[in-house]
Amino acid sequence: MQNNIIEFDTIDSTNTYGLKNFENLQDRTIISARIQTKGRGRFNRNWVSESPENIYLSIILKPQKKDYIVNLTQYMSVCCAKVIEIYNAKPQIKYPNDVLVDNKKICGILCESFLKSNVIQGVVLGAGINLNMSQSVLETIDRPAASLNLITGKNINRQEFLNLLLEEFFSNYDSVLNQGFASFSKDYITRSNFLGRHIFVQKRDRDIKEKYFAKNMDKNGNLVVICDDGTQKTIHSGDIII
Ligand code: BTN
């Protein structure tokens, strides 16, 4: 199936565009922009989006079978990590779906649902990937961040990376819709940087961090942790601090 691709030089946010126009856009439409003026991240954070050779991308997904739609963000993190590996960098995944190189974030994913009368119609799956940034712009980001050009010492061909990513994503997309986390769990777990160690989990920016031991992933892609008192629990959301 050929994807529709909508490309912008400048837009507020490819995710916002996707949500606003969701009903008029076909399943698997790709929205891509050179610059976002209001790039959005998780927890209402800003996503710095002023480097035209980076990737700012959203995919409109309207699958019939919605049971495993929640696993698409983790799946996208695996796809981004696999493509970054083609460029000889060593990405790791931080739960649930950040992609890091040398503990610095290189890729963020924001998946937003479109609801009609409280029923989910599909999602807008957005990814921001730092491919070509100057050190000075990278330093304006308020958390440790990385860019692939600075890691490899070479400019990265944005179109080539985008093509590889879409190819990777759609090659196993149907399996993810049918089997969920199980269809890519091995790829996710081998790249994870949090399992088998002590982590802190913070629900929102100002919340207290709670300390756990990250034990394993359950079959749904949730993180199972051991608390200080020895009890076990499942973490569904929040930011992990290692
Ligand atoms: C995160 O906080 O880690 C998620 C960042 C997601 C950024 C991407 S860039 C393309 C798409 N449009 C947005 O406004 N956000 C996502």
Side-chain angles (χ1 to χ4, degrees):
M1 180 181 173
Q2 191 64 40
N3 296 99
N4 286 331
I5 302 189
I6 306 175
E7 289 184 297
F8 293 97
D9 280 334
T10 303
I11 196 167
D12 52 356
S13 146
T14 56
N15 263 41
T16 305
Y17 179 91
L19 287 173
K20 271 191 196 149
N21 297 285
F22 190 87
E23 287 176 293
N24 299 323
L25 294 169
Q26 268 185 23
D27 182 29
R28 304 186 185 208
T29 299
I30 312 295
I31 306 155
S32 154
R34 291 265 173 192
I35 287 178
Q36 297 185 119
T37 51
K38 286 194 182 134
R40 297 186 288 109
R42 291 168 67 225
F43 307 115
N44 284 329
R45 288 180 193 138
N46 166 45
W47 183 259
V48 174
S49 307
E50 57 192 67
S51 303
E53 295 298 326
N54 276 0
I55 285 178
Y56 310 113
L57 164 85
S58 299
I59 311 180
I60 304 295
L61 297 168
K62 306 181 176 188
Q64 291 287 316
K65 185 168 153 59
K66 299 191 175 59
D67 315 36
Y68 298 116
I69 218 165
V70 293
N71 293 116
L72 289 173
T73 46
Q74 285 170 310
Y75 173 59
M76 180 54 113
S77 70
V78 167
C79 295
C80 290
K82 282 185 170 181
V83 177
I84 289 170
E85 284 162 9
I86 297 174
Y87 294 82
N88 292 322
K90 293 246 171 306
Q92 288 194 302
I93 298 173
K94 184 163 78 83
Y95 186 79
N97 50 48
D98 285 345
V99 183
L100 317 179
V101 175
D102 295 331
N103 287 323
K104 295 177 199 152
K105 186 153 157 175
I106 190 165
C107 166
I109 294 155
L110 177 69
C111 188
E112 297 179 291
S113 304
F114 183 86
L115 304 172
K116 198 172 172 182
S117 312
N118 260 342
V119 178
I120 185 165
Q121 307 297 307
V123 292
V124 180
L125 180 58
I129 311 168
N130 298 339
L131 292 188
N132 295 289
M133 291 176 84
S134 66
Q135 189 61 42
S136 57
V137 174
L138 209 57
E139 280 163 15
T140 64
I141 300 175
D142 58 0
R143 287 153 194 259
S147 181
L148 194 53
N149 64 319
L150 300 174
I151 296 161
T152 61
K154 290 182 198 141
N155 283 346
I156 307 299
N157 183 319
R158 172 181 179 269
Q159 194 57 52
E160 179 189 80
F161 192 106
L162 194 56
N163 293 345
L164 289 167
L165 180 63
L166 295 175
E167 216 175 282
E168 181 64 44
F169 183 84
F170 285 108
S171 65
N172 289 309
Y173 173 64
D174 291 320
S175 313
V176 179
L177 292 181
N178 287 317
Q179 298 160 43
F181 187 65
S183 65
F184 63 92
S185 59
K186 198 164 160 248
D187 284 336
Y188 183 91
I189 289 166
T190 52
R191 291 173 177 83
S192 78
N193 72 347
F194 51 89
L195 291 174
R197 53 194 289 188
H198 283 99
I199 56 164
F200 291 89
V201 177
Q202 192 173 30
K203 292 276 180 208
R204 278 170 294 272
D205 271 345
R206 261 166 289 158
D207 278 4
I208 296 166
K209 304 176 188 80
E210 289 168 5
K211 189 179 164 210
Y212 303 109
F213 178 76
K215 187 180 169 213
N216 62 330
M217 301 295 294
D218 72 10
K219 66 176 179 19
N220 300 318
N222 294 312
L223 173 59
V224 180
V225 296
I226 311 281
C227 309
D228 271 350
D229 63 4
T231 55
Q232 186 166 299
K233 78 174 192 178
T234 303
I235 303 282
H236 297 279
S237 67
D239 241 3
I240 284 202
I241 297 148
I242 295 174

